[in-house]
Amino acid sequence: MDTAAAPAASSGVDFSTPLTILYHDADLVAVYKPAGWLVHRSAIARHEKRFVLQRLRDQIGQHVWPVHRLDQGTCGLLVFALNKESCQQLARAFAEQRVQKTYLALVRGWLPQQVEVDYALRPEDSAPDAPPQSAQTTLRCLATLDWPESYDPRHPSTRASLVLAQPHTGRRHQIRRHLKHVAHPILGDATHGKGALNRWWAQRLGGQRLWLHAHALQLQHPRTGEALALTADWRALPQVPEVQQWQHMLQLPGWQTVAPWPGSCSVI
């Protein structure tokens, strides 16, 4: 194995370029959200200037309604409604957990082949005595990496996994918190991860970023009721710098396949 460190990835995102549209009809639009962008303006992030909602509205020339959220550091598939009726239908589907969500994450260590996490989460920023809310996530290990350098002198190498995560509830930071709960935090997660590992990984292998990608959504179309499968298909997004970063990372020597990958996240 070539043990030379991979070049650290820069953010690579040109914030002056249009958003990449993944799906668009009269009722909804799906876009690729770059990491570092907020979904919309927020009073708690007054210094930020990159908002998907405002950019998309200006790009397509019509009002758009957010129906779900992605963390600022998360990249990938994000859906907006294009009329009030569709907004109500889609927001209800998300609230009632009728949308199947799939994420990809790079995590610390070797995750077992499949883990069912049923661990209640107290709302963040709530009172200490606030009751926890039920939360369930299915985690599947797709591939493992044993990199022959270590950030921790107690270990001879650094291990990581590519994980497919399917949250069955919609708690804030659910995937990030559940992966921390099972001792496999997401690489680059400044809040729920390992600081020393994050800094080492950013310098040696992966750049400074949260390695969490919103990959796919399965839902009913808000007007027709037909099944709709939306995907941030890496094969169709070679021009997106963050996709290039993921593919570069997953082509490092030493990855071993554990389970079949979704075709739409193929690095071939």
Side-chain angles (χ1 to χ4, degrees):
M1 178 187 295
D2 180 3
T3 60
S10 64
S11 65
V13 179
D14 181 354
F15 294 109
S16 66
T17 59
L19 293 164
T20 300
I21 294 178
L22 304 174
Y23 178 89
H24 190 184
D25 65 18
D27 299 288
L28 62 95
V29 58
V31 302
Y32 185 95
K33 174 195 170 296
W37 289 56
L38 291 173
V39 175
H40 53 69
R41 298 185 190 278
S42 169
I44 63 175
R46 298 180 185 277
H47 63 287
E48 290 293 338
K49 299 180 179 180
R50 302 164 297 187
F51 307 101
V52 180
L53 187 151
Q54 284 80 9
R55 175 64 63 83
L56 179 61
R57 176 198 62 198
D58 296 343
Q59 184 173 325
I60 66 175
Q62 67 180 105
H63 192 76
V64 298
W65 284 260
V67 295
H68 69 126
R69 303 287 188 271
L70 293 178
D71 293 340
Q72 184 174 7
T74 305
C75 60
L77 180 65
L78 183 64
V79 173
F80 293 86
L82 295 179
N83 52 66
K84 291 183 179 180
E85 295 76 13
S86 293
C87 178
Q88 293 171 349
Q89 292 291 336
L90 289 168
R92 186 177 301 116
F94 277 96
E96 295 175 354
Q97 300 166 17
R98 291 186 283 110
V99 179
Q100 181 175 321
K101 296 169 280 188
T102 302
Y103 291 75
L104 295 168
L106 286 177
V107 309
R108 167 185 175 267
W110 287 0
L111 186 84
Q113 188 166 359
Q114 181 162 325
V115 179
E116 299 292 343
V117 185
D118 188 350
Y119 178 70
L121 298 171
R122 181 176 288 106
E124 294 184 328
D125 302 324
S126 64
D129 59 350
Q133 300 172 317
S134 65
Q136 298 84 35
T137 306
T138 296
L139 303 172
R140 295 186 177 89
C141 183
L142 301 181
T144 58
L145 174 68
D146 191 15
W147 189 257
E149 295 177 283
S150 179
Y151 81 98
D152 186 337
R154 296 174 299 175
H155 304 291
S157 62
T158 299
R159 291 182 170 185
S161 301
L162 174 67
V163 172
L164 186 148
Q166 293 178 307
H168 306 299
T169 47
R171 311 307 177 197
R172 187 166 183 251
H173 293 172
Q174 176 172 318
I175 294 173
R176 296 165 64 179
R177 296 169 74 184
H178 273 178
L179 280 162
K180 177 184 178 181
H181 174 69
V182 298
H184 294 281
I186 297 175
L187 296 172
D189 190 336
T191 304
H192 304 287
K194 299 287 186 179
L197 174 58
N198 289 344
R199 290 187 291 273
W200 181 91
W201 189 273
Q203 181 181 16
R204 297 291 293 147
L205 294 173
Q208 187 65 47
R209 58 163 299 171
L210 174 69
W211 288 92
L212 180 63
H213 170 75
H215 177 64
L217 294 171
Q218 295 184 20
L219 66 160
Q220 287 186 315
H221 192 279
R223 181 172 53 83
T224 67
E226 296 179 357
L228 187 61
L230 303 174
T231 307
D233 187 338
W234 285 350
R235 299 168 301 181
L237 299 168
Q239 77 284 4
V240 175
E242 290 172 342
V243 171
Q244 297 169 8
Q245 293 172 16
W246 277 92
Q247 294 188 329
H248 171 78
M249 179 61 57
L250 295 173
Q251 289 172 339
L252 291 176
W255 281 103
Q256 298 293 321
T257 298
V258 174
W261 297 18
S264 50
C265 73
S266 171
V267 297
I268 304 302

